[in-house]
Amino acid sequence: MVVQCRVLFIFLGLQVVMMVLYHQGYHHQVSRVLNILSSSILSPTPANLIMKDVYSGLEQIQALNLTEDDLPSCPKSSPFLSGPLKVSFPLHLTMDEIAQKNPWVQMGGHYQPPNCWALHHTAVIIPYRARRKHLYQLLYHLHPFLQRQQIHYTIYVVHQIDNNTFNRGKLLNVGFKEAMKENNWQCIYFHDVDLIPEDDRNVYGCSVLPMHSAVAIDKFQYKLPYQTYFGGVTALRPTHYLKINGFPNNYWGWGGEDDDIASRIFLNKMFITRPPAAFGRYRMLKHGHDKGNEVNPKRFHLLSSTHIRWRRNGINTLNYKLLSKEQTQLYTNFTILVWRRRLTLVKLNRR
Ligand code: UDH
Ligand code: NGS
């Protein structure tokens, strides 16, 4: 009781000191102290919290001695969730190593909780070219991350193998189309290869609104770069994706295709939803500028006419050539050629 009185006394004393300082004109100093105090008290990852490794506790996943039909539904909140995760990047990862750490993942990067019926059925689509190290880091983190959430999922990588300029929007459209041929997915996650989620409460299931998950990226000091930002990691229900006609196919190179799909959502009178910033945290893997993904100088011009073009440019006008579909231990790989319309065909024919 005496101790509690002392603490209260000190607290009130501090408050009086702050008020006096504030009234004497030390506004900035007082607000700085308050900021420091509030950020340490309200911080999403308090220093005293022990952050778990993304694999910790997963050894408890066990099959039940029941037939599939008798399995219970998975709980609304998975018992494996632990909040903020300790993210580390093991060197020289190999597929075998990652596969060994994920014994429940089946060929093609497919997983279903062995002990309950999942509430979420999610395809994760990764646009890809020449980022092998990033891909392995993402797979190393994403598989256990999704298992913690008791999700039924498959990871798909859409690999643009030609030397045309990179086209993220088109690859994501291809991923959608090919993934939906495989399964009646209820939720599609569009996931950049270099974003590592840091909190397993950022559950990869769809809500009634299009979801922007990468709310707080370290590269942007864990803040949104701008209010309508819809890049990095996003999710839509297939019905919503089809309603907005998917991504545009004609953004070649860096920038704008994510703003275009955001406009499509707004043009269709939908809104974007986001997880709380404490959950939607990501580390971005460092890399230099990609060859073949130069900044697209036409992006602002294209964006100015999204409202005219969106119905005629998207999943309904997608053209590509699927060279192979391959099931690896950790993901299903689609290798594709993206046609750059007639121009490419003419060039090829002339050779
Ligand atoms: N990607 C590849 N290979 C490439 C290019 C892109 O796999 O050669 C994929 C990858 O999944 C990446 C995503 O496309 O995460 C988006 O690529 P991006 O270059 O648009 O974005 P990122 O965040 O890099 O990776 C930002 C580069 C900063 C450019 C700044 C211009 N002002
Ligand atoms: C905007 C781009 C987006 C991009 C975002 C973040 O300016 O495509 O920056 O980029 N829009 C336009 O250029 C119109 S990032 O720093 O992550 O590469 O996603």
Side-chain angles (χ1 to χ4, degrees), residues 278-289:
F279 297 3
R281 285 168 74 87
Y282 287 81
R283 290 269 293 274
M284 188 182 267
L285 297 167
K286 293 198 171 48
H287 64 95
H289 210 100

Side-chain angles (χ1 to χ4, degrees), residues 219-220 225-226 229 231 254-259 284 299-300 303:
K219 172 182 173 177
F220 302 126
Y226 51 94
Y229 178 56
W254 181 89
E257 80 297 335
D258 48 357
D259 302 304
M284 188 182 267
R299 66 197 189 286
F300 292 110
L303 275 172

